[in-house]
Amino acid sequence: MGVKYSSKINKIRSFALGLIFAGFIVMYGGIFFRENVIVMTIFMILGLVFILASTVVYFWIGLLSTRTIQVTCPSCEKQTKMLGRVDVCMYCKEPLTLDPELDGKEFDEKYNSKRYNKIEKS
């Protein structure tokens, strides 16, 4: 079955959502230590830190999302946002690139890394 790709914006949003769920799970874990107030407080504060971290990530991706390039997907004809040299459509998962050097090549997320760009230019 091949690798399933997702747009970078959606990956970061999913990570932030995972932080929220992790925060709630850690907080609920604190309920098991009701007798020991210090341990319960540590769990509650740690859960709150996870939730605050997700807020920061959501804020960051929101700011990043406003500076992205909007392109029309050739497959589904919907407007989608692109981060980096290659990305996939948010709706139909069609590989997208604005770099003419990568046009027609097999889609790979490694084209976005700075290390790969240095190796390629050498």
Side-chain angles (χ1 to χ4, degrees):
M1 184 159 186
V3 177
K4 292 197 178 200
Y5 292 106
S6 176
S7 73
K8 285 184 239 11
I9 292 176
N10 284 344
K11 283 182 185 176
I12 297 170
R13 287 179 181 157
S14 297
F15 173 71
L17 184 64
L19 282 175
I20 289 176
F21 285 127
F24 282 131
I25 290 169
V26 169
M27 285 180 157
Y28 277 119
I31 292 175
F32 292 116
F33 300 102
R34 276 184 272 182
E35 294 80 29
N36 192 342
V37 178
I38 294 173
V39 175
M40 184 182 80
T41 305
I42 290 172
F43 270 84
M44 293 297 171
I45 291 173
L46 190 62
L48 182 64
V49 167
F50 276 111
I51 292 172
L52 291 176
S54 75
T55 304
V56 169
V57 171
Y58 271 123
F59 182 74
W60 172 69
I61 194 61
L63 288 177
L64 193 63
S65 182
T66 60
R67 297 184 300 164
T68 58
I69 299 169
Q70 288 192 356
V71 296
T72 303
C73 176
S75 205
C76 67
E77 309 264 330
K78 293 182 181 177
Q79 287 283 332
T80 188
K81 295 178 180 180
M82 256 186 78
L83 282 175
R85 293 175 74 193
V86 294
D87 204 352
V88 295
C89 177
M90 290 181 173
Y91 305 101
C92 68
K93 309 295 188 238
E94 175 78 21
L96 302 171
T97 183
L98 294 176
D99 192 350
E101 295 174 8
L102 299 176
D103 202 21
K105 287 187 179 180
E106 184 70 28
F107 179 79
D108 196 351
E109 290 180 339
K110 70 180 178 185
Y111 294 136
N112 289 322
S113 73
K114 292 181 182 180
R115 189 175 63 164
Y116 180 78
N117 293 337
K118 287 180 185 176
I119 294 170
E120 185 181 79
K121 290 179 183 176
S122 302

